[in-house]
Amino acid sequence: MNNVLENNYRKYFAFAYKMNKEQIISKLPYSKPFLFVDELLQINENGVEGTYTFNENLDFYKGHFKDLPVTPGVILTEVMAQIGLVCLGIYLLDDKFDKSITIALTSTEIEFLKPVFPNEKVIVISEKIYFRFGKLKCKVIMKNENGEEVCMGTIAGMITSI
């Protein structure tokens, strides 16, 4: 579809058009080494599922812990926030999201159940609790490749203009 046709189509069918998964990831305000989203498996107005694989060469493994590297809880929380809150927020805002908008983390309540080691792939499953008055709150679960829950909880953020 050419750009003019696509823009007209989008305006006419604005109620049905949403960014695709790749467009959402491209709008994330992060870059490596702090981008913790590899793939979005599915996304809709009620939630999102995405994956990330922890490369063994990430800097934090050098010191956490020296002889048995384990992914820090704060990094697990960040992965859940990037996939479960920021990606969903970008999707919900759709064409209203631009460089002047940011999604700032406001609160977390996370329970850590199992360690995540280097080279492990995790899946984050997020379910929207509410999105109103510029605040998005989600229930999030992170699972390892065996389907075991490694952490879970709630994450909230505010949509703000820079």
Side-chain angles (χ1 to χ4, degrees), residues 76-101:
L76 298 177
T77 302
E78 182 65 25
V79 173
M80 290 192 295
Q82 286 187 20
I83 294 172
L85 191 75
V86 181
C87 286
L88 182 58
I90 291 170
Y91 177 84
L92 293 172
L93 290 171
D94 195 31
D95 61 350
K96 295 178 193 90
F97 186 85
D98 61 30
K99 291 182 189 272
S100 70
I101 304 286

PDB file of all heavy atoms in Angstrom, residues 76-101:
ATOM      1  N   LEU A  76      14.897  -7.805  36.018  1.00  0.00           N
ATOM      2  CA  LEU A  76      13.669  -8.548  35.732  1.00  0.00           C
ATOM      3  C   LEU A  76      12.460  -7.616  35.764  1.00  0.00           C
ATOM      4  O   LEU A  76      11.577  -7.689  34.903  1.00  0.00           O
ATOM      5  CB  LEU A  76      13.483  -9.696  36.730  1.00  0.00           C
ATOM      6  CG  LEU A  76      14.564 -10.776  36.743  1.00  0.00           C
ATOM      7  CD1 LEU A  76      14.283 -11.798  37.838  1.00  0.00           C
ATOM      8  CD2 LEU A  76      14.695 -11.444  35.387  1.00  0.00           C
ATOM      9  N   THR A  77      12.439  -6.714  36.736  1.00  0.00           N
ATOM     10  CA  THR A  77      11.362  -5.726  36.829  1.00  0.00           C
ATOM     11  C   THR A  77      11.355  -4.835  35.597  1.00  0.00           C
ATOM     12  O   THR A  77      10.293  -4.532  35.039  1.00  0.00           O
ATOM     13  CB  THR A  77      11.515  -4.888  38.112  1.00  0.00           C
ATOM     14  OG1 THR A  77      11.505  -5.768  39.249  1.00  0.00           O
ATOM     15  CG2 THR A  77      10.407  -3.855  38.241  1.00  0.00           C
ATOM     16  N   GLU A  78      12.540  -4.420  35.151  1.00  0.00           N
ATOM     17  CA  GLU A  78      12.637  -3.565  33.961  1.00  0.00           C
ATOM     18  C   GLU A  78      12.122  -4.285  32.715  1.00  0.00           C
ATOM     19  O   GLU A  78      11.436  -3.684  31.886  1.00  0.00           O
ATOM     20  CB  GLU A  78      14.082  -3.106  33.752  1.00  0.00           C
ATOM     21  CG  GLU A  78      14.277  -2.186  32.572  1.00  0.00           C
ATOM     22  CD  GLU A  78      13.581  -0.831  32.692  1.00  0.00           C
ATOM     23  OE1 GLU A  78      13.333  -0.366  33.821  1.00  0.00           O
ATOM     24  OE2 GLU A  78      13.279  -0.232  31.632  1.00  0.00           O
ATOM     25  N   VAL A  79      12.444  -5.564  32.572  1.00  0.00           N
ATOM     26  CA  VAL A  79      11.947  -6.334  31.429  1.00  0.00           C
ATOM     27  C   VAL A  79      10.415  -6.363  31.455  1.00  0.00           C
ATOM     28  O   VAL A  79       9.755  -6.133  30.435  1.00  0.00           O
ATOM     29  CB  VAL A  79      12.511  -7.771  31.429  1.00  0.00           C
ATOM     30  CG1 VAL A  79      11.864  -8.622  30.339  1.00  0.00           C
ATOM     31  CG2 VAL A  79      14.021  -7.753  31.253  1.00  0.00           C
ATOM     32  N   MET A  80       9.846  -6.620  32.629  1.00  0.00           N
ATOM     33  CA  MET A  80       8.390  -6.654  32.747  1.00  0.00           C
ATOM     34  C   MET A  80       7.782  -5.289  32.463  1.00  0.00           C
ATOM     35  O   MET A  80       6.725  -5.188  31.835  1.00  0.00           O
ATOM     36  CB  MET A  80       7.971  -7.162  34.128  1.00  0.00           C
ATOM     37  CG  MET A  80       8.273  -8.629  34.324  1.00  0.00           C
ATOM     38  SD  MET A  80       7.511  -9.361  35.783  1.00  0.00           S
ATOM     39  CE  MET A  80       8.321  -8.467  37.092  1.00  0.00           C
ATOM     40  N   ALA A  81       8.462  -4.224  32.893  1.00  0.00           N
ATOM     41  CA  ALA A  81       7.952  -2.878  32.645  1.00  0.00           C
ATOM     42  C   ALA A  81       8.022  -2.528  31.156  1.00  0.00           C
ATOM     43  O   ALA A  81       7.072  -1.961  30.604  1.00  0.00           O
ATOM     44  CB  ALA A  81       8.732  -1.860  33.476  1.00  0.00           C
ATOM     45  N   GLN A  82       9.144  -2.841  30.491  1.00  0.00           N
ATOM     46  CA  GLN A  82       9.271  -2.500  29.075  1.00  0.00           C
ATOM     47  C   GLN A  82       8.249  -3.251  28.225  1.00  0.00           C
ATOM     48  O   GLN A  82       7.597  -2.651  27.362  1.00  0.00           O
ATOM     49  CB  GLN A  82      10.691  -2.782  28.572  1.00  0.00           C
ATOM     50  CG  GLN A  82      11.699  -1.774  29.067  1.00  0.00           C
ATOM     51  CD  GLN A  82      13.073  -1.932  28.436  1.00  0.00           C
ATOM     52  OE1 GLN A  82      13.234  -2.529  27.373  1.00  0.00           O
ATOM     53  NE2 GLN A  82      14.081  -1.389  29.094  1.00  0.00           N
ATOM     54  N   ILE A  83       8.096  -4.543  28.463  1.00  0.00           N
ATOM     55  CA  ILE A  83       7.140  -5.325  27.670  1.00  0.00           C
ATOM     56  C   ILE A  83       5.717  -5.085  28.153  1.00  0.00           C
ATOM     57  O   ILE A  83       4.822  -4.763  27.364  1.00  0.00           O
ATOM     58  CB  ILE A  83       7.479  -6.829  27.724  1.00  0.00           C
ATOM     59  CG1 ILE A  83       8.817  -7.104  27.026  1.00  0.00           C
ATOM     60  CG2 ILE A  83       6.353  -7.659  27.084  1.00  0.00           C
ATOM     61  CD1 ILE A  83       9.338  -8.526  27.176  1.00  0.00           C
ATOM     62  N   GLY A  84       5.502  -5.236  29.454  1.00  0.00           N
ATOM     63  CA  GLY A  84       4.153  -5.265  29.998  1.00  0.00           C
ATOM     64  C   GLY A  84       3.490  -3.935  30.203  1.00  0.00           C
ATOM     65  O   GLY A  84       2.260  -3.862  30.304  1.00  0.00           O
ATOM     66  N   LEU A  85       4.260  -2.868  30.268  1.00  0.00           N
ATOM     67  CA  LEU A  85       3.678  -1.546  30.519  1.00  0.00           C
ATOM     68  C   LEU A  85       3.951  -0.599  29.352  1.00  0.00           C
ATOM     69  O   LEU A  85       3.017  -0.039  28.778  1.00  0.00           O
ATOM     70  CB  LEU A  85       4.261  -0.964  31.814  1.00  0.00           C
ATOM     71  CG  LEU A  85       3.575   0.286  32.342  1.00  0.00           C
ATOM     72  CD1 LEU A  85       2.238  -0.064  32.975  1.00  0.00           C
ATOM     73  CD2 LEU A  85       4.459   0.990  33.349  1.00  0.00           C
ATOM     74  N   VAL A  86       5.214  -0.430  28.975  1.00  0.00           N
ATOM     75  CA  VAL A  86       5.551   0.563  27.951  1.00  0.00           C
ATOM     76  C   VAL A  86       5.043   0.126  26.572  1.00  0.00           C
ATOM     77  O   VAL A  86       4.413   0.920  25.873  1.00  0.00           O
ATOM     78  CB  VAL A  86       7.063   0.861  27.932  1.00  0.00           C
ATOM     79  CG1 VAL A  86       7.397   1.903  26.874  1.00  0.00           C
ATOM     80  CG2 VAL A  86       7.533   1.352  29.310  1.00  0.00           C
ATOM     81  N   CYS A  87       5.288  -1.119  26.181  1.00  0.00           N
ATOM     82  CA  CYS A  87       4.780  -1.580  24.873  1.00  0.00           C
ATOM     83  C   CYS A  87       3.254  -1.488  24.821  1.00  0.00           C
ATOM     84  O   CYS A  87       2.690  -1.030  23.822  1.00  0.00           O
ATOM     85  CB  CYS A  87       5.227  -3.001  24.585  1.00  0.00           C
ATOM     86  SG  CYS A  87       6.967  -3.161  24.152  1.00  0.00           S
ATOM     87  N   LEU A  88       2.583  -1.904  25.890  1.00  0.00           N
ATOM     88  CA  LEU A  88       1.122  -1.820  25.922  1.00  0.00           C
ATOM     89  C   LEU A  88       0.664  -0.371  25.885  1.00  0.00           C
ATOM     90  O   LEU A  88      -0.286  -0.034  25.180  1.00  0.00           O
ATOM     91  CB  LEU A  88       0.566  -2.541  27.153  1.00  0.00           C
ATOM     92  CG  LEU A  88      -0.961  -2.575  27.270  1.00  0.00           C
ATOM     93  CD1 LEU A  88      -1.601  -3.234  26.046  1.00  0.00           C
ATOM     94  CD2 LEU A  88      -1.378  -3.281  28.550  1.00  0.00           C
ATOM     95  N   GLY A  89       1.348   0.506  26.626  1.00  0.00           N
ATOM     96  CA  GLY A  89       0.994   1.923  26.612  1.00  0.00           C
ATOM     97  C   GLY A  89       1.129   2.539  25.225  1.00  0.00           C
ATOM     98  O   GLY A  89       0.265   3.297  24.778  1.00  0.00           O
ATOM     99  N   ILE A  90       2.203   2.213  24.519  1.00  0.00           N
ATOM    100  CA  ILE A  90       2.389   2.707  23.150  1.00  0.00           C
ATOM    101  C   ILE A  90       1.259   2.207  22.263  1.00  0.00           C
ATOM    102  O   ILE A  90       0.685   2.963  21.471  1.00  0.00           O
ATOM    103  CB  ILE A  90       3.770   2.276  22.603  1.00  0.00           C
ATOM    104  CG1 ILE A  90       4.885   3.024  23.344  1.00  0.00           C
ATOM    105  CG2 ILE A  90       3.866   2.524  21.092  1.00  0.00           C
ATOM    106  CD1 ILE A  90       6.288   2.500  23.059  1.00  0.00           C
ATOM    107  N   TYR A  91       0.905   0.942  22.402  1.00  0.00           N
ATOM    108  CA  TYR A  91      -0.185   0.368  21.612  1.00  0.00           C
ATOM    109  C   TYR A  91      -1.506   1.086  21.912  1.00  0.00           C
ATOM    110  O   TYR A  91      -2.258   1.436  20.997  1.00  0.00           O
ATOM    111  CB  TYR A  91      -0.319  -1.127  21.908  1.00  0.00           C
ATOM    112  CG  TYR A  91      -1.469  -1.782  21.184  1.00  0.00           C
ATOM    113  CD1 TYR A  91      -1.325  -2.226  19.873  1.00  0.00           C
ATOM    114  CD2 TYR A  91      -2.704  -1.956  21.807  1.00  0.00           C
ATOM    115  CE1 TYR A  91      -2.380  -2.824  19.211  1.00  0.00           C
ATOM    116  CE2 TYR A  91      -3.766  -2.554  21.140  1.00  0.00           C
ATOM    117  CZ  TYR A  91      -3.595  -2.979  19.845  1.00  0.00           C
ATOM    118  OH  TYR A  91      -4.645  -3.565  19.182  1.00  0.00           O
ATOM    119  N   LEU A  92      -1.799   1.297  23.190  1.00  0.00           N
ATOM    120  CA  LEU A  92      -3.068   1.935  23.562  1.00  0.00           C
ATOM    121  C   LEU A  92      -3.143   3.384  23.083  1.00  0.00           C
ATOM    122  O   LEU A  92      -4.200   3.853  22.671  1.00  0.00           O
ATOM    123  CB  LEU A  92      -3.265   1.863  25.076  1.00  0.00           C
ATOM    124  CG  LEU A  92      -3.486   0.464  25.645  1.00  0.00           C
ATOM    125  CD1 LEU A  92      -3.469   0.495  27.166  1.00  0.00           C
ATOM    126  CD2 LEU A  92      -4.773  -0.158  25.130  1.00  0.00           C
ATOM    127  N   LEU A  93      -2.008   4.087  23.129  1.00  0.00           N
ATOM    128  CA  LEU A  93      -1.983   5.474  22.662  1.00  0.00           C
ATOM    129  C   LEU A  93      -2.001   5.567  21.147  1.00  0.00           C
ATOM    130  O   LEU A  93      -2.455   6.564  20.585  1.00  0.00           O
ATOM    131  CB  LEU A  93      -0.749   6.198  23.205  1.00  0.00           C
ATOM    132  CG  LEU A  93      -0.761   6.470  24.700  1.00  0.00           C
ATOM    133  CD1 LEU A  93       0.590   6.988  25.153  1.00  0.00           C
ATOM    134  CD2 LEU A  93      -1.861   7.471  25.052  1.00  0.00           C
ATOM    135  N   ASP A  94      -1.481   4.551  20.468  1.00  0.00           N
ATOM    136  CA  ASP A  94      -1.442   4.442  19.013  1.00  0.00           C
ATOM    137  C   ASP A  94      -0.868   5.713  18.389  1.00  0.00           C
ATOM    138  O   ASP A  94       0.244   6.096  18.720  1.00  0.00           O
ATOM    139  CB  ASP A  94      -2.823   4.095  18.474  1.00  0.00           C
ATOM    140  CG  ASP A  94      -2.783   3.603  17.034  1.00  0.00           C
ATOM    141  OD1 ASP A  94      -1.770   2.991  16.646  1.00  0.00           O
ATOM    142  OD2 ASP A  94      -3.752   3.828  16.294  1.00  0.00           O
ATOM    143  N   ASP A  95      -1.600   6.381  17.536  1.00  0.00           N
ATOM    144  CA  ASP A  95      -1.033   7.531  16.815  1.00  0.00           C
ATOM    145  C   ASP A  95      -0.889   8.776  17.691  1.00  0.00           C
ATOM    146  O   ASP A  95      -0.306   9.763  17.280  1.00  0.00           O
ATOM    147  CB  ASP A  95      -1.820   7.840  15.543  1.00  0.00           C
ATOM    148  CG  ASP A  95      -3.267   8.205  15.810  1.00  0.00           C
ATOM    149  OD1 ASP A  95      -3.743   8.039  16.959  1.00  0.00           O
ATOM    150  OD2 ASP A  95      -3.934   8.650  14.860  1.00  0.00           O
ATOM    151  N   LYS A  96      -1.383   8.739  18.920  1.00  0.00           N
ATOM    152  CA  LYS A  96      -1.168   9.858  19.852  1.00  0.00           C
ATOM    153  C   LYS A  96       0.226   9.796  20.471  1.00  0.00           C
ATOM    154  O   LYS A  96       0.690  10.757  21.060  1.00  0.00           O
ATOM    155  CB  LYS A  96      -2.232   9.838  20.949  1.00  0.00           C
ATOM    156  CG  LYS A  96      -3.642  10.086  20.461  1.00  0.00           C
ATOM    157  CD  LYS A  96      -4.626   9.992  21.626  1.00  0.00           C
ATOM    158  CE  LYS A  96      -6.042   9.911  21.146  1.00  0.00           C
ATOM    159  NZ  LYS A  96      -6.498   8.542  20.918  1.00  0.00           N
ATOM    160  N   PHE A  97       0.883   8.639  20.346  1.00  0.00           N
ATOM    161  CA  PHE A  97       2.220   8.481  20.919  1.00  0.00           C
ATOM    162  C   PHE A  97       3.251   9.068  19.979  1.00  0.00           C
ATOM    163  O   PHE A  97       3.305   8.745  18.801  1.00  0.00           O
ATOM    164  CB  PHE A  97       2.544   7.001  21.163  1.00  0.00           C
ATOM    165  CG  PHE A  97       3.852   6.810  21.886  1.00  0.00           C
ATOM    166  CD1 PHE A  97       3.901   6.881  23.263  1.00  0.00           C
ATOM    167  CD2 PHE A  97       5.022   6.589  21.186  1.00  0.00           C
ATOM    168  CE1 PHE A  97       5.108   6.730  23.942  1.00  0.00           C
ATOM    169  CE2 PHE A  97       6.229   6.427  21.851  1.00  0.00           C
ATOM    170  CZ  PHE A  97       6.273   6.503  23.231  1.00  0.00           C
ATOM    171  N   ASP A  98       4.069   9.997  20.508  1.00  0.00           N
ATOM    172  CA  ASP A  98       5.180  10.560  19.732  1.00  0.00           C
ATOM    173  C   ASP A  98       6.335  10.845  20.681  1.00  0.00           C
ATOM    174  O   ASP A  98       6.292  10.490  21.854  1.00  0.00           O
ATOM    175  CB  ASP A  98       4.745  11.808  18.951  1.00  0.00           C
ATOM    176  CG  ASP A  98       4.264  12.943  19.860  1.00  0.00           C
ATOM    177  OD1 ASP A  98       4.750  13.055  21.012  1.00  0.00           O
ATOM    178  OD2 ASP A  98       3.408  13.719  19.431  1.00  0.00           O
ATOM    179  N   LYS A  99       7.371  11.507  20.168  1.00  0.00           N
ATOM    180  CA  LYS A  99       8.582  11.732  20.967  1.00  0.00           C
ATOM    181  C   LYS A  99       8.361  12.649  22.166  1.00  0.00           C
ATOM    182  O   LYS A  99       9.188  12.696  23.064  1.00  0.00           O
ATOM    183  CB  LYS A  99       9.693  12.283  20.076  1.00  0.00           C
ATOM    184  CG  LYS A  99      10.197  11.263  19.078  1.00  0.00           C
ATOM    185  CD  LYS A  99      11.317  11.841  18.249  1.00  0.00           C
ATOM    186  CE  LYS A  99      11.686  10.938  17.115  1.00  0.00           C
ATOM    187  NZ  LYS A  99      12.657   9.942  17.410  1.00  0.00           N
ATOM    188  N   SER A 100       7.240  13.367  22.204  1.00  0.00           N
ATOM    189  CA  SER A 100       6.972  14.244  23.344  1.00  0.00           C
ATOM    190  C   SER A 100       6.271  13.514  24.488  1.00  0.00           C
ATOM    191  O   SER A 100       6.061  14.071  25.552  1.00  0.00           O
ATOM    192  CB  SER A 100       6.113  15.432  22.905  1.00  0.00           C
ATOM    193  OG  SER A 100       4.799  14.997  22.601  1.00  0.00           O
ATOM    194  N   ILE A 101       5.920  12.257  24.282  1.00  0.00           N
ATOM    195  CA  ILE A 101       5.217  11.451  25.285  1.00  0.00           C
ATOM    196  C   ILE A 101       6.185  10.447  25.896  1.00  0.00           C
ATOM    197  O   ILE A 101       6.996   9.845  25.200  1.00  0.00           O
ATOM    198  CB  ILE A 101       4.047  10.670  24.634  1.00  0.00           C
ATOM    199  CG1 ILE A 101       3.077  11.602  23.917  1.00  0.00           C
ATOM    200  CG2 ILE A 101       3.344   9.791  25.649  1.00  0.00           C
ATOM    201  CD1 ILE A 101       2.190  12.401  24.819  1.00  0.00           C
TER     202      ILE A 101
END
